[in-house]
């Protein structure tokens, strides 16, 4: 090992099918693992992708009506989840993959859908996971096929951040094209950067920030938000391991979070915005950037009181090209509904809280109210990419009668 501090995060979102031909989905997040030098591994806390802070929200779930289900279990849970990598050769790595666990507990159809094309790492992960053996998932006492994915794997290094010469060339060109107002040409340059094999995470962050600028120009707030959140994920991971070398300086980090916060408020994502503001305050509560976001947040809460609904416009976006769509949003109200679904379909709706998760009986119901007891909750949707809908969070206090 080169001695460079490294950190890796792996998140599994497993979609369990009732059988090989029935696509009713259940979701589960796998264990987060942190990797350090000399291959030492320490188990991380269970949490959901992108959960940077915990905001206490009183939420509850509707009763479920699904068959008795047991997820697959590893026959060797103490075995390492991933092979060791020579980071002096591979550099930083991230990839997204899926696979199946058949009724005999064998891994089948493992496929990498997206990565930064470090082939030796891709091959090592494919070989390692293909050899894993499981006790198959059971439904009503019978083994069933399990679809696992998408699984995210990211490995970053604490080292000086720099752009490679060829990337720098395209990056400067894209900046010139944006300055000239030629966003179509800038988009092509960004695609070329995105397709560069073995690009490092700092370069990936720059691509995401460029893509966010273009999405803002094209007035696509959902895409802009997605790209900005991807950029800050790398910085959040580096912060979690106290890296000396980050991907965004403190001011740029706050500016990016401030823009995320602004977009969330524009879409009435109050709970998401609260979490983003909490992150900003934990970085620098005295910054003028943070102060400005806090004032905007307070004004929004005054305008949208408990007598009014929060209406979030949502769109299911694919995690990888050609893949299924997904969306998630945190809840600020104990009652919520899905309305105006169009342009596709929703396959599953999950309520995910600190105490656990529950699948909601959509489409038989489209509005849910449940007893207290579950906190810090979000809604997770999966289905066809491009599906649009309205997530309405209902008032908790009745509006006063109009004056006569």
């Amino acid at each position: 090992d080169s001695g460079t501090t490294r950190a890796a995060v792996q998140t599994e979102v497993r979609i369990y099918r009732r059988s090989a031909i029935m696509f009713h989905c259940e979701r589960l997040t796998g264990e987060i693992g942190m990797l350090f030098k000399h291959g030492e591994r320490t188990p991380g806390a269970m949490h959901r992708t992108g959960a940077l802070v915990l905001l206490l929200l009183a939420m509850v779930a509707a009763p479920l009506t699904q068959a008795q289900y047991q997820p697959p279990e590893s026959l060797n849970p103490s075995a390492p989840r991933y092979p060791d990598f020579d980071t002096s050769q591979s550099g930083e790595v991230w990839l997204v993959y899926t696979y199946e666990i058949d009724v005999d507990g064998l891994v089948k159809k493992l496929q990498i859908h997206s990565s930064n094309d470090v082939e030796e790492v891709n091959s090592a992960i494919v070989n390692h996971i293909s050899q894993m053996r499981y006790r198959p998932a059971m439904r009503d006492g019978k083994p069933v096929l399990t679809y696992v994915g998408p699984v995210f794997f990211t490995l970053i290094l604490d080292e000086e951040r720099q752009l490679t010469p060829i990337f720098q060339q395209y990056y400067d060109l894209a900046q010139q094209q944006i300055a000239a107002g030629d966003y179509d040409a800038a988009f092509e340059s960004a695609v070329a950067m995105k397709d560069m094999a073995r690009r490092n995470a700092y370069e990936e962050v720059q691509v995401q920030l460029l893509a966010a600028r273009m999405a803002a120009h094209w007035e696509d707030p959902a895409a802009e938000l997605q790209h900005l959140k991807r950029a800050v994920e790398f910085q959040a991971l580096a912060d979690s391991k106290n890296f000396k070398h980050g991907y965004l300086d403190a001011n740029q980090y706050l500016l990016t979070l401030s823009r995320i916060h602004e977009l969330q408020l524009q879409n009435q994502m109050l709970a998401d915005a609260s979490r983003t503001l909490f992150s900003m305050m934990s970085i620098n509560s005295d910054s003028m950037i943070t102060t400005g976001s806090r004032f905007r947040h307070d004004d929004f809460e005054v305008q949208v009181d408990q007598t009014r609904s929060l209406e979030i416009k949502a769109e299911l976006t694919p995690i990888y090209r050609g893949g299924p769509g997904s969306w998630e949003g945190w809840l600020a109200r104990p009652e919520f509904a899905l309305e105006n679904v169009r342009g596709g379909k929703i396959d599953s709706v999950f309520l995910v809280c600190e105490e656990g998760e529950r699948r909601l009986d959509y489409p038989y119901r489209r509005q849910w109210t449940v007893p207290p007891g579950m906190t810090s909750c979000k809604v997770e949707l999966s289905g066809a990419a491009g599906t649009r809908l309205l997530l309405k969070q209902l008032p908790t206090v009745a509006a006063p009668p109009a004056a006569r």
Side-chain angles (χ1 to χ4, degrees):
D1 192 286
S2 64
T4 303
T5 304
R6 56 179 177 160
V9 58
Q10 167 265 329
T11 305
E12 284 189 19
V13 179
R14 298 173 178 169
I15 304 176
Y16 298 126
R17 297 178 181 173
R18 294 178 184 270
S19 70
I21 60 174
M22 298 179 67
F23 304 106
H24 300 281
C25 303
E26 301 174 68
R27 296 179 55 136
L28 169 68
T29 295
E31 183 176 342
I32 304 295
M34 293 295 177
L35 278 65
F36 301 98
K37 60 183 178 181
H38 308 306
E40 180 183 356
R41 292 171 174 81
T42 57
M46 296 291 290
H47 62 77
R48 282 276 162 179
T49 306
L52 302 177
V53 295
L54 293 178
L55 177 68
L56 205 60
L57 301 169
M59 286 304 309
V60 286
L64 306 184
T65 56
Q66 58 187 35
Q68 186 65 33
Y69 180 86
Q70 292 180 326
E73 298 178 4
S74 173
L75 295 180
N76 188 9
S78 62
R81 299 185 68 86
Y82 293 98
D84 285 328
F85 306 121
D86 181 358
T87 56
S88 66
Q89 298 297 319
S90 69
E92 296 181 308
V93 178
W94 60 93
L95 52 92
V96 180
Y97 62 91
T98 60
Y99 60 94
E100 293 179 357
I101 301 174
D102 69 12
V103 295
D104 295 318
L106 302 178
V107 173
K108 301 290 185 180
K109 298 183 179 180
L110 193 156
Q111 182 177 0
I112 294 178
H113 299 277
S114 176
S115 76
N116 64 329
D117 296 324
V118 182
E119 288 302 325
E120 59 269 32
V121 174
N122 290 0
S123 297
I125 286 181
V126 168
N127 293 334
H128 185 82
I129 295 174
S130 297
Q131 297 173 22
M132 291 181 176
R133 298 295 179 263
Y134 293 86
R135 183 176 294 108
M138 306 292 288
R139 189 176 297 284
D140 294 333
K142 298 180 180 180
V144 293
L145 177 73
T146 304
Y147 179 81
V148 183
V151 183
F152 303 82
F153 177 82
T154 301
L155 185 148
I156 60 173
L157 306 176
D158 192 6
E159 59 186 11
E160 292 286 347
R161 305 301 174 199
Q162 58 185 355
L163 305 179
T164 57
I166 184 63
F167 189 97
Q168 183 76 62
Q169 179 181 341
Y170 276 94
Y171 181 78
D172 292 342
L173 177 60
Q175 295 282 22
Q176 294 167 12
Q177 291 163 335
I178 289 176
D182 192 351
Y183 283 83
D184 290 336
F187 176 81
E188 295 300 326
S189 297
V191 170
M193 287 183 277
K194 186 75 173 175
D195 290 340
M196 288 183 184
R198 308 180 78 93
R199 66 190 181 280
N200 59 51
Y202 181 61
E203 292 169 337
E204 177 68 9
V205 168
Q206 302 312 308
V207 169
Q208 296 297 335
L209 293 176
L210 275 175
R213 288 179 63 184
M214 288 183 277
H217 173 76
W218 288 318
E219 298 181 350
D220 188 345
E224 182 185 359
L225 181 60
Q226 183 182 33
H227 290 301
L228 292 175
K229 290 175 69 175
R230 175 61 175 162
V232 301
E233 282 175 4
F234 285 99
Q235 182 61 45
L237 179 57
D239 284 347
S240 72
K241 298 315 302 176
N242 298 315
F243 275 10
K244 295 180 180 178
H245 306 94
Y247 297 96
L248 302 168
D249 62 44
N251 191 67
Q252 187 181 23
Y253 194 16
L254 282 176
L255 285 171
T256 304
L257 287 172
S258 178
R259 179 56 179 165
I260 290 173
H261 179 263
E262 182 180 6
L263 290 168
Q264 289 167 336
L265 289 183
Q266 288 176 3
N267 197 24
Q268 301 191 16
M269 303 174 71
L270 179 58
D272 294 80
S274 296
R275 299 169 72 86
T276 302
L277 181 60
F278 190 98
S279 296
M280 296 179 66
M281 295 181 67
S282 67
I283 296 169
N284 188 345
S285 60
D286 296 326
S287 167
M288 293 183 63
I289 301 172
T290 303
T291 301
S293 294
R294 187 169 65 246
F295 284 153
R296 283 194 297 271
H297 196 93
D298 292 343
D299 289 343
F300 181 82
E301 287 190 319
V302 170
Q303 296 170 15
V304 184
D305 58 24
Q306 297 296 311
T307 66
R308 297 175 56 188
S309 295
L310 297 173
E311 298 184 352
I312 300 174
K313 297 177 181 177
E315 178 178 349
L316 275 58
T317 56
I319 294 173
Y320 54 88
R321 187 176 303 173
S326 63
W327 181 89
E328 66 179 35
W330 294 87
L331 295 170
R333 305 280 175 82
E335 298 184 42
F336 60 97
L338 299 184
E339 298 181 0
N340 197 22
V341 178
R342 63 198 186 281
K345 66 172 184 175
I346 297 174
D347 292 326
S348 66
V349 180
F350 276 78
L351 184 67
V352 182
C353 306
E354 188 172 354
E355 295 78 10
E357 62 180 51
R358 299 185 182 184
R359 179 176 182 173
L360 305 182
D361 51 352
Y362 180 89
Y364 306 105
R365 296 181 60 182
R366 300 195 178 211
Q367 180 173 326
W368 296 272
T369 305
V370 285
M374 301 185 78
T375 59
S376 189
C377 298
K378 64 179 176 180
V379 173
E380 292 188 351
L381 310 175
S382 63
T387 303
R388 298 183 178 185
L389 66 135
L390 190 69
L391 174 66
K392 181 178 288 188
Q393 301 183 49
L394 305 179
T396 58
V397 178
R404 294 182 178 273

